[in-house]
Amino acid sequence: MRDEFEWIKTISPAGHRQSSVIQGIGDDAALVQGSSWDQIVCLDTMVEGIHFTSETMTPYHVGYKSLAANISDIAAMGGVPLYYLVSIAIPSSWEEEDLSQVYKGMADLAEAYDMDLIGGDTVSTKGPLVLSVTIMGQVEPGRKLLRSNARPGDVVFLSGPVGDSAGGLDLLLKRSLTGPFTAEEKQLVKAHQLPEPHVGQGRILAASDKRVSLNDISDGVASEANEIAEASGAVLTLFHDKLPRSPVLQMYPEDQQDQWIFFGGEDYKLIGTMSPNDFAQAEAACKKGGYTLTVIGEVSSGEPGVRLKKGSHVEPLLKAGYNHFS
Amino acid sequence: MRDEFEWIKTISPAGHRQSSVIQGIGDDAALVQGSSWDQIVCLDTMVEGIHFTSETMTPYHVGYKSLAANISDIAAMGGVPLYYLVSIAIPSSWEEEDLSQVYKGMADLAEAYDMDLIGGDTVSTKGPLVLSVTIMGQVEPGRKLLRSNARPGDVVFLSGPVGDSAGGLDLLLKRSLTGPFTAEEKQLVKAHQLPEPHVGQGRILAASDKRVSLNDISDGVASEANEIAEASGAVLTLFHDKLPRSPVLQMYPEDQQDQWIFFGGEDYKLIGTMSPNDFAQAEAACKKGGYTLTVIGEVSSGEPGVRLKKGSHVEPLLKAGYNHFS
């Protein structure tokens, strides 16, 4: 790393896409115009060696996925992503070109959503790289697509097939970043390295103006469904045969598929619940937009938790998601 | 660390002070009501072994100062701090009690400003602790207290004495966290460990509705003054004998004082410029609020940069601030 300030210039955007940006990078703080919409904000932190390694992700992927995970959280609130800020703690072992690729990965995804990089902090560390991205977005006032909104009688839905990301990670761990991979396997690898947040689907659900409970799949279906069940004080029963699986994933043994679907995570699809009537309307609206919502279960009253129904057999589906400290 | 989720519950606030918070910690993202005021956002990252060590800062100080540095950036935009989010990458060597103290340091300062912790991410790392705090605040629409606002003819002012923080750090490095320190020395140590952001002064400057250039002193007067000079394309001349020095700092040799004032940093006072007439009004308003603004220099046209005038001698004052990668 040559001069910090010189390098920051190379990663700072020349202009802004959102006209609401008054001052981006370059002052004490960023300044953006207020809005009558409710504001959404969250952050996500990735650590080298914990959340990614150079065996499975290029620096470009690290940047891309870090922003994608944040955009997905905005999607899970039904919102429009607008701005992001980047905190990066850099070890001396990282080359400037690789660091620039991290920012390139974020910038390419930001461009697709007309988002602006408006701030951040770059520091050095004697440990592994730590990348923390803060994202801001907005949603129509009063729209609360919270995980506590599930009610008995609701249907449970998914916005797309899940498990592919974990399948891709498995391939990468076995064969390294460079493969070789078949064309089908490349789809799984891509799902892991370059996930697509479901902003469009979240926007349609927000626009429905109905009660919606919603989570994004960052930690596996089991964990996310349990979060909705706990927050809502309800039972979610998932139908094993209704879970959408990509054609590629179906090439693997069913047990393996299930493991990836329920406990894999990082798919960044949306899981939620709505009343059957409201869902029918939302599903139709999604179809018009080229999106698919799939019913995968139902909500009932009882001791909060998730059940998995396979044929006539029903068993508890425990959280068992990834616990960062376990 | 026992269970991540259990620990997060212990650091999550039971309620919110700002009625604008719709959803804090506990969903995909935080949700807050929109506002007609302009929004201010920034983040600041501290790494163990780079920005602090256990020889000079307790975990409580680390948390407190991390939020204080961010609040100071809001102050430098003339804003009201409202919310914060915390990203923390935790090494296994840190005890749960120490981590809780980091959050206690932030919470105590947040209480003083009626701020709410609304989100974050806790992850593990094999490296040193990395703490990144994102802060959000707001300012009256159209108020831009930017560092690019200085104009020839302005006076340069400071909102308080500087150099104390660097003096405190020097003492801590020489004598460790536990001292011994005299009563006077304790003032310097406190300035380093528990700095007070100048939010009240920033608010009065914002309320003046006049052109104000403003920076907070995070990297020393030389660096901050140069940033204003560069951003504004102007010359700032500082008068050596006008710089406010605390009584305790004056117990040290002048060369030492100067070193700390110009190149020390982490004082979190405000440096800015205004036209002489506007400044006179702002100074009077500050006096009513119990605050002191001190004229320390003047702005003129010329090759952008900072000059230091001592008696009849004028010399360039170079940035030479702390470069995180140098």
Side-chain angles (χ1 to χ4, degrees):
Chain A
M1 176 62 61
R2 40 182 184 176
D3 184 81
E4 173 193 3
F5 300 105
E6 287 304 313
W7 180 66
I8 289 173
K9 278 183 198 163
T10 70
I11 54 168
S12 301
H16 298 110
R17 298 182 183 100
Q18 298 289 337
S19 60
S20 50
V21 178
I22 300 165
Q23 171 69 46
I25 291 172
D27 216 287
D28 298 290
L31 197 58
V32 300
Q33 280 172 8
S35 163
S36 61
W37 287 32
D38 290 337
Q39 305 298 300
I40 309 169
V41 61
C42 64
L43 60 78
D44 192 76
T45 305
M46 290 172 73
V47 180
E48 186 182 8
I50 305 279
H51 302 91
F52 66 89
T53 72
S54 57
E55 275 96 68
T56 61
M57 303 267 283
T58 67
Y60 181 92
H61 296 141
V62 171
Y64 183 102
K65 192 165 176 172
S66 182
L67 186 58
N70 273 291
I71 293 175
S72 180
D73 282 320
I74 299 286
M77 302 299 273
V80 182
L82 294 172
Y83 324 112
Y84 66 109
L85 301 90
V86 178
S87 158
I88 189 164
I90 306 171
S92 59
S93 58
W94 274 63
E95 300 287 336
E96 195 174 309
E97 171 56 23
D98 286 340
L99 292 169
S100 296
Q101 281 295 309
V102 172
Y103 281 80
K104 179 78 162 60
M106 290 189 277
D108 284 356
L109 188 59
E111 189 181 4
Y113 288 97
D114 279 335
M115 293 178 67
D116 288 310
L117 173 63
I118 59 168
D121 200 5
T122 58
V123 297
S124 62
T125 178
K126 284 169 184 143
L129 185 116
V130 179
L131 178 67
S132 184
V133 177
T134 299
I135 191 168
M136 296 172 71
Q138 63 182 14
V139 66
E140 291 84 350
R143 289 302 287 144
K144 298 190 277 187
L145 281 60
L146 306 180
R147 52 184 68 159
S148 55
N149 285 345
R151 298 290 175 269
D154 280 3
V155 296
V156 183
F157 63 84
L158 261 178
S159 70
V162 289
D164 286 10
S165 173
L169 175 61
D170 186 70
L171 286 167
L172 286 159
L173 288 172
K174 282 176 179 155
R175 298 196 211 143
S176 92
L177 204 53
T178 49
F181 304 114
T182 66
E184 288 80 14
E185 288 169 345
K186 278 180 187 163
Q187 292 178 42
L188 299 185
V189 167
K190 191 181 174 199
H192 182 73
Q193 294 174 332
L194 301 167
E196 287 180 28
H198 279 192
V199 174
Q201 293 89 329
R203 291 297 299 142
I204 289 171
L205 292 168
S208 75
D209 214 22
K210 305 294 184 184
R211 176 181 52 77
V212 181
S213 75
L214 204 62
N215 250 4
D216 72 318
I217 306 284
S218 48
D219 286 337
V221 167
S223 177
E224 307 297 343
N226 268 286
E227 283 188 347
I228 292 174
E230 284 167 21
S232 300
V235 177
L236 269 64
T237 302
L238 308 185
F239 309 132
H240 185 270
D241 62 342
K242 299 287 189 192
L243 282 152
R245 297 158 194 258
S246 73
V248 186
L249 200 77
Q250 292 180 44
M251 294 164 54
Y252 290 84
E254 196 180 74
D255 274 1
Q256 181 63 85
Q257 293 176 40
D258 286 355
Q259 187 67 26
W260 289 337
I261 287 171
F262 293 117
F263 308 110
E266 300 190 353
D267 287 300
Y268 304 116
K269 307 295 196 286
L270 302 175
I271 182 172
T273 81
M274 294 179 85
S275 80
N277 281 345
D278 293 347
F279 174 77
Q281 289 176 31
E283 190 192 19
C286 272
K287 198 168 281 176
K288 274 190 197 165
Y291 305 124
T292 306
L293 300 183
T294 306
V295 172
I296 62 163
E298 61 192 16
V299 182
S300 55
S301 58
E303 182 70 27
V306 179
R307 298 175 191 155
L308 182 64
K309 190 172 183 196
K310 192 173 178 182
S312 62
H313 181 73
V314 180
E315 61 186 33
L317 184 64
L318 300 179
K319 209 160 182 169
Y322 183 63
N323 181 328
H324 296 293
F325 292 106
S326 63
Chain B
M1 177 62 60
R2 40 183 186 178
D3 184 83
E4 174 193 2
F5 300 108
E6 287 305 313
W7 180 67
I8 288 173
K9 279 183 197 163
T10 71
I11 54 167
S12 300
H16 297 111
R17 299 182 182 99
Q18 298 290 337
S19 59
S20 51
V21 177
I22 301 165
Q23 170 70 46
I25 290 173
D27 217 286
D28 297 290
L31 197 57
V32 301
Q33 279 171 9
S35 164
S36 61
W37 287 31
D38 291 337
Q39 305 298 301
I40 310 169
V41 60
C42 64
L43 60 79
D44 191 77
T45 304
M46 290 171 73
V47 180
E48 185 182 9
I50 305 280
H51 301 91
F52 65 91
T53 72
S54 57
E55 275 96 68
T56 60
M57 302 268 281
T58 68
Y60 182 93
H61 296 141
V62 171
Y64 183 102
K65 191 164 176 172
S66 180
L67 186 58
N70 273 290
I71 293 175
S72 180
D73 282 320
I74 299 286
M77 301 299 273
V80 181
L82 294 173
Y83 324 111
Y84 67 110
L85 301 91
V86 178
S87 159
I88 188 165
I90 306 172
S92 58
S93 58
W94 274 64
E95 301 287 337
E96 194 173 309
E97 170 57 22
D98 286 340
L99 292 169
S100 296
Q101 281 297 310
V102 173
Y103 280 81
K104 179 78 163 58
M106 290 189 277
D108 284 357
L109 189 59
E111 190 181 3
Y113 288 96
D114 279 336
M115 293 178 67
D116 289 309
L117 171 63
I118 59 168
D121 200 4
T122 58
V123 297
S124 62
T125 178
K126 285 171 184 141
L129 187 117
V130 179
L131 178 66
S132 183
V133 177
T134 300
I135 192 169
M136 296 171 71
Q138 63 182 14
V139 66
E140 291 85 350
R143 288 302 286 143
K144 299 189 279 186
L145 280 61
L146 305 181
R147 53 185 66 158
S148 55
N149 285 346
R151 298 289 176 268
D154 279 2
V155 296
V156 183
F157 62 85
L158 262 179
S159 68
V162 289
D164 286 10
S165 173
L169 175 62
D170 187 68
L171 286 167
L172 285 160
L173 288 172
K174 281 176 180 156
R175 299 196 210 142
S176 90
L177 204 52
T178 49
F181 303 114
T182 66
E184 288 79 15
E185 287 169 347
K186 277 180 187 164
Q187 292 178 42
L188 299 185
V189 167
K190 190 180 175 201
H192 182 73
Q193 293 174 332
L194 301 168
E196 286 180 29
H198 279 192
V199 174
Q201 293 87 330
R203 292 296 299 142
I204 289 170
L205 292 168
S208 77
D209 214 21
K210 304 293 186 189
R211 175 180 53 77
V212 182
S213 75
L214 204 62
N215 250 4
D216 72 318
I217 306 283
S218 48
D219 286 337
V221 167
S223 176
E224 307 298 342
N226 268 286
E227 284 187 349
I228 292 174
E230 285 167 21
S232 300
V235 177
L236 269 65
T237 302
L238 308 185
F239 309 132
H240 186 270
D241 62 342
K242 300 285 189 193
L243 281 152
R245 298 157 194 256
S246 72
V248 186
L249 200 76
Q250 291 180 45
M251 294 163 54
Y252 291 83
E254 194 179 78
D255 275 0
Q256 181 64 85
Q257 293 176 39
D258 285 356
Q259 186 67 25
W260 290 337
I261 287 171
F262 293 119
F263 307 110
E266 301 191 351
D267 287 299
Y268 304 117
K269 307 295 196 285
L270 301 175
I271 182 171
T273 81
M274 294 178 85
S275 79
N277 282 344
D278 293 345
F279 173 79
Q281 289 177 32
E283 190 192 18
C286 273
K287 197 168 281 177
K288 275 191 198 167
Y291 304 124
T292 306
L293 299 183
T294 306
V295 171
I296 62 163
E298 61 191 17
V299 182
S300 56
S301 58
E303 182 71 26
V306 179
R307 297 174 193 158
L308 182 64
K309 190 172 183 196
K310 193 174 179 181
S312 62
H313 181 72
V314 180
E315 60 185 35
L317 184 64
L318 299 179
K319 207 159 183 171
Y322 183 63
N323 180 329
H324 295 292
F325 292 105
S326 65

